Amino acid sequence: MKLNKIHHIAIICSNYEISKEFYVNILGLKIINEIYRKDRESYKLDLSVSEDNQIELFSFPQSPKRLSYPEAIGLRHIAFEVDNIDMVIKELNDKNVITEPIRIDEITGKKFTFFSDPDDLPIELYEK
C-alpha cells in the first residue's frame, strides 16, 4: 500500500458564519466550493490551504462540543507550516487572535506556537 498525501482535513464547527469568517478572512484560506445540503441542514465549505491541501468546514445541527482539556484520545490538532512565525503571529494578534508564546521544538530546533479557532480547535504554527 502507498498513501500519496493527506487530501483534506474535515472540521465541524458550531457557528458556520463565524468559522467561515475565521478560516477565510483571518487565516486567508481560499474558497474552492461552498454548498448548503438542505437534507442534512449542513453547510460544506471546501477551502484551499495550498495546491495540495484542503480543509472541509462542516456545520451540523447540535454537534457535541469537542474535548480539548484534558486532552482526549484521537486527532489532536492541525498544524500549518509558515515561513516566518513572528510575522504570522503579529498578523494574527493584529486580528485579535490570541497566540501562545513561541516554543522551540527540542528535536528539530524549529519555532512553533498554538492558537485556537472559534470552537477551541487547537491550531499549530510551525516555522519552516
Side-chain angles (χ1 to χ4, degrees), residues 30-42:
K30 305 287 185 248
I31 296 174
I32 299 168
N33 191 36
E34 179 178 30
I35 60 169
Y36 180 73
R37 300 174 304 173
K38 187 174 181 166
D39 58 320
R40 294 177 149 187
E41 299 178 45
S42 170

Side-chain angles (χ1 to χ4, degrees), residues 40-99:
R40 294 177 149 187
E41 299 178 45
S42 170
Y43 280 97
K44 180 180 183 283
L45 180 65
D46 297 322
L47 299 165
S48 174
V49 178
S50 68
E51 187 176 307
D52 292 330
N53 299 289
Q54 296 178 23
I55 290 178
E56 291 180 341
L57 185 65
F58 291 96
S59 66
F60 294 110
Q62 282 109 31
S63 291
K65 189 163 175 57
R66 177 189 190 280
L67 283 178
S68 279
Y69 300 100
E71 292 188 32
I73 294 171
L75 293 174
R76 178 64 189 123
H77 63 268
I78 59 174
F80 295 109
E81 179 186 276
V82 297
D83 291 326
N84 183 323
I85 198 166
D86 296 301
M87 197 165 70
V88 174
I89 288 171
K90 182 178 180 340
E91 286 180 42
L92 289 170
N93 294 162
D94 288 348
K95 295 175 181 177
N96 297 315
V97 175
I98 298 168
T99 54

